[in-house]
Amino acid sequence: MVLRLERGRPLTITQEGTAASHQVPALSVKDLKKVYQTPGGDVEAVRNLTFDLAPGEFVCLVGPSGAGKTTLLKCIAGLLAPTSGTVSVEGKVVTEPPKSLAVVFQEYGRSLFPWMSVRDNVELPLKNQGVDKAKRDQLVDEALEAVGLAHVPKSYPWQLSGGMQQRVAIARAIAYQPQVLLMDEPFAAVDAQTRADLEDLVRRVWKQLGITVLFVTHDIDESVYLGERVIVLSNSPTVVQEDLKIDLPAERDQLNTRSLPRFTELRGHVYEQIQRAKAASRPAASVTADNK
Amino acid sequence: MRFLKQIAYFVGLPIALILLWWVLTIDSTNFFVPKPGQLAETFVEVWFSERFFVDVLPSISRLLTGLVLSIVLGILFGIIIGSVRILRQLSEPVLEFFRAIPPPVLVPLLMLIIGINDQMKVMVIIFGAIWPVLLNTVEGVRAVDEVLSDTCRVYRISGFARFRYFVLRSASPQIMTGVRQSISIALILMVISEMFASSSGLGFAIVQFQRTFAVPQMWSGILLLGLMGVSLSLIFQFTEKRVLRWYYGLREVDR
Ligand SMILES: Nc1ncnc2c1ncn2[C@@H]1O[C@H](COP(=O)(O)OP(=O)(O)OP(=O)(O)O)[C@@H](O)[C@H]1O
Ligand SMILES: [Mg+2]
């Protein structure tokens, strides 16, 4: 909400507003580099990444398959230690998973506990944090309601379709009330209709909760439709190819937004950047390969 | 109706076999071959007497103590060994060695060390029955899903909660496989430990019957052991069905 005000009237920002634009970024990635050490030699997944996310921003990260998107997200989430560089969440350098951060994984089917009901899955992180029962029930109910799963709390995850499972994972993340939400190609494996629904769901949740979202995808259309900003990554070893502001209206709609001329323009631009990223980084990548 | 059908399936073949046995032995005069009616009579006579308190109960309590301790200790050590990689690598050859020792050979040894008492018999049972649970638990703990493990870390589910909600449940299919094997091993070792050195228990009673040529009584002891085995297995199946309902459901869907 704060964000929209700022963007709508950039010239009439109050003193408080000015302070807000200098405030600590929700997420800050600085000179991040990640090299995997494998028996077959070193794999440089991320070469050098630097970018910030302001509180309340919705940013999409696009890049070709194997560009190191998952690697980056794992470093941000504190699941992987970077080779060099730092990640900070709300001003604190990440050394272990930050408390105010939630992740929706790429492999949604495997991220739910198969021995727990849908409800228990959503409730577990809260229970673990010691949130009292009444508050817990309320948060879980709201989250399940928000993703449209209020009718299946007793089912097990494996009794649900892929799209429903992903919604459970989203509900769990929402109920946890994070400040920063990371999503790793969350809709890669669901059908087109479900995907459109889930996209709108994520935008709605983002607006309602005012959280910061970093959304990874390799789908260009999706990134432009969802994001306020799109960061294009190059091919592996990865650098930021382009950081693009998406100046589409805040109210987005599957039919109208996607048929706006501006949407087509932006999509074309991102597409071009990705093509260029691929072409540009190939020689560089093969040089590093020769060095081994 | 379905329940009745299940029962019919369960007892159908045993009844047929007993009938066959009855027909085949109807005019047998061989002293060593028991007849069904006679055996049933002897069974009641022998075991529904003071022997129930002198032999049956002590045997059952040794068996259950040994089995429960094997399962609890097996899971406990299995989780510890399975979670710490160095411990796992260090202990692997040692565990394989201990597992390879046939537990009955420990009876004379433990007799010397601990003496001829209940603790010795329970120790023999534990020494044989702990391995399937322990090794399967190690395997199950090692094979936990990486994505689920990351999920736990992201939501800061660690320490005891991690074991309770994640590791233990995730390893439960393997643990149950181990428990199933342990049950039969424990039953065998209970009998063997009592045959060697004892003044009470089922194993002792059966050997005594055999030495005094009390053949029908001996058969009745074997029958009792069989029935104990079946009961344990039924209890196990009932528990397994409840504990692993999610697992069978998941497998059903995956297919
Ligand atoms: N655990 C690992 N050990 C070694 N190399 C790895 C590991 N994980 C990823 N890589 C390598 O790092 C590079 C980036 O992988 P990553 O999974 O981050 O890509 P991605 O952008 O998420 O791809 P996708 O879009 O297919 O999900 C790849 O070349 C991959 O082979
Ligand atoms: Mg990935």
Side-chain angles (χ1 to χ4, degrees), chain A residues 114-115 156 158, chain B residues 169-170 172-173 243-250:
Chain A
W115 46 85
Y156 286 97
W158 37 269
Chain B
R169 296 307 302 273
S170 171
S172 58
V243 174
L244 295 186
R245 192 166 44 193
W246 65 271
Y247 177 69
Y248 293 119
L250 182 66

Side-chain angles (χ1 to χ4, degrees), chain A residues 74 77-79 96-99 101-103 105 107 110-116 124-125 127-128 156 158 169 172-173 176, chain B residues 145-158 161-162 164-167 169-171 245-250 253:
Chain A
K74 280 190 175 168
L79 296 171
E96 54 160 14
K99 205 172 178 176
L101 181 139
V103 182
F105 289 95
E107 305 94 338
R110 279 168 62 198
S111 81
L112 299 172
F113 298 99
W115 46 85
M116 287 183 199
L124 181 61
K127 206 161 154 183
N128 183 58
Y156 286 97
W158 37 269
R172 179 171 62 189
Y176 189 63
Chain B
D145 191 281
E146 215 177 298
V147 180
L148 276 182
S149 185
D150 278 351
T151 304
C152 282
R153 284 179 65 195
V154 163
Y155 291 111
R156 302 160 76 89
I157 298 163
S158 58
R162 183 170 183 275
R164 177 170 167 203
Y165 295 113
F166 171 45
V167 177
R169 296 307 302 273
S170 171
R245 192 166 44 193
W246 65 271
Y247 177 69
Y248 293 119
L250 182 66
V253 173

Side-chain angles (χ1 to χ4, degrees), chain B residues 26 87 115 128 133 135 158 164 174 207 218 223 232 241 254:
Chain B
I26 206 155
L87 221 52
V133 179
L135 294 173
S158 58
R164 177 170 167 203
Q174 282 95 332
V207 170
M218 187 189 79
L223 178 66
L232 277 177
K241 238 183 213 152
D254 276 352

Side-chain angles (χ1 to χ4, degrees), chain B residues 48-67:
Chain B
F48 290 83
S49 65
E50 67 165 4
R51 273 197 187 276
F52 184 77
F53 299 100
V54 179
D55 292 321
V56 182
L57 278 187
S59 280
I60 291 180
S61 72
R62 284 168 202 150
L63 173 68
L64 290 185
T65 313
L67 193 56

Side-chain angles (χ1 to χ4, degrees), chain A:
Chain A
M1 301 297 135
V2 178
L3 190 80
R4 228 187 307 162
L5 266 177
E6 269 180 48
R7 203 182 301 113
R9 283 174 281 170
L11 296 177
T12 54
I13 290 175
T14 57
Q15 203 118 48
E16 216 182 306
T18 324
S21 60
H22 290 295
Q23 75 200 131
V24 219
L27 173 67
S28 172
V29 176
K30 209 170 261 137
D31 295 323
L32 186 80
K33 178 189 179 91
K34 178 68 193 177
V35 179
Y36 285 109
Q37 258 134 24
T38 67
D42 291 356
V43 179
E44 189 179 28
V46 174
R47 172 162 289 177
N48 189 312
L49 282 179
T50 301
F51 61 87
D52 280 359
L53 264 63
E57 239 186 333
F58 194 133
V59 176
C60 287
L61 203 71
V62 268
S65 189
K69 303 183 293 292
T70 300
T71 305
L72 168 65
L73 239 54
K74 280 190 175 168
C75 289
I76 296 175
L79 296 171
L80 268 183
T83 307
S84 65
T86 54
V87 174
S88 319
V89 169
E90 298 188 306
K92 270 206 224 86
V93 173
V94 172
T95 51
E96 54 160 14
K99 205 172 178 176
S100 55
L101 181 139
V103 182
V104 175
F105 289 95
Q106 192 167 2
E107 305 94 338
Y108 55 83
R110 279 168 62 198
S111 81
L112 299 172
F113 298 99
W115 46 85
M116 287 183 199
S117 68
V118 164
R119 195 184 175 84
D120 289 347
N121 262 288
V122 177
E123 192 179 5
L124 181 61
L126 300 172
K127 206 161 154 183
N128 183 58
Q129 277 193 319
V131 179
D132 68 72
K133 179 90 179 104
K135 179 82 180 150
R136 226 155 64 200
D137 281 346
Q138 184 207 335
L139 286 170
V140 174
D141 286 338
E142 279 171 14
L144 287 175
E145 188 71 43
V147 301
L149 283 180
H151 59 293
V152 291
K154 288 210 176 73
S155 303
Y156 286 97
W158 37 269
Q159 293 171 322
L160 308 177
S161 69
M164 287 164 101
Q165 287 178 23
Q166 190 57 297
R167 281 190 275 162
V168 177
I170 295 172
R172 179 171 62 189
I174 299 170
Y176 189 63
Q177 296 188 296
Q179 293 303 312
V180 179
L181 176 60
L182 308 179
M183 304 183 89
D184 190 2
E185 299 191 35
F187 311 144
V190 298
D191 62 274
Q193 184 53 50
T194 312
R195 185 178 190 138
D197 291 345
L198 290 176
E199 284 168 0
D200 290 336
L201 166 73
V202 168
R203 285 242 355 146
R204 197 166 62 236
V205 166
W206 164 69
K207 269 197 208 155
Q208 269 169 16
L209 303 182
I211 53 179
T212 312
V213 179
L214 183 61
F215 188 104
V216 166
T217 174
H218 57 234
D219 184 319
I220 297 164
D221 282 47
E222 185 170 77
S223 70
V224 175
Y225 178 72
L226 282 178
E228 309 289 289
R229 218 172 109 201
V230 171
I231 297 177
V232 181
L233 296 184
S234 72
N235 231 356
S236 188
T238 312
V239 293
V240 172
Q241 173 83 14
E242 153 118 86
D243 194 333
L244 182 73
K245 193 155 182 61
I246 302 297
D247 46 5
L248 292 170
E251 281 305 325
R252 302 204 181 157
D253 173 274
Q254 292 287 351
L255 263 184
N256 298 322
T257 308
R258 283 179 193 270
S259 54
L260 289 174
R262 184 65 185 146
F263 182 86
T264 321
E265 237 171 80
L266 285 165
R267 192 187 57 183
H269 184 81
V270 174
Y271 181 77
E272 208 176 288
Q273 285 302 323
I274 288 186
Q275 288 309 101
R276 216 189 296 163
K278 283 185 185 169
S281 73
R282 253 186 207 132
S286 58
V287 168
T288 34
D290 288 343
N291 287 344
K292 276 178 208 149

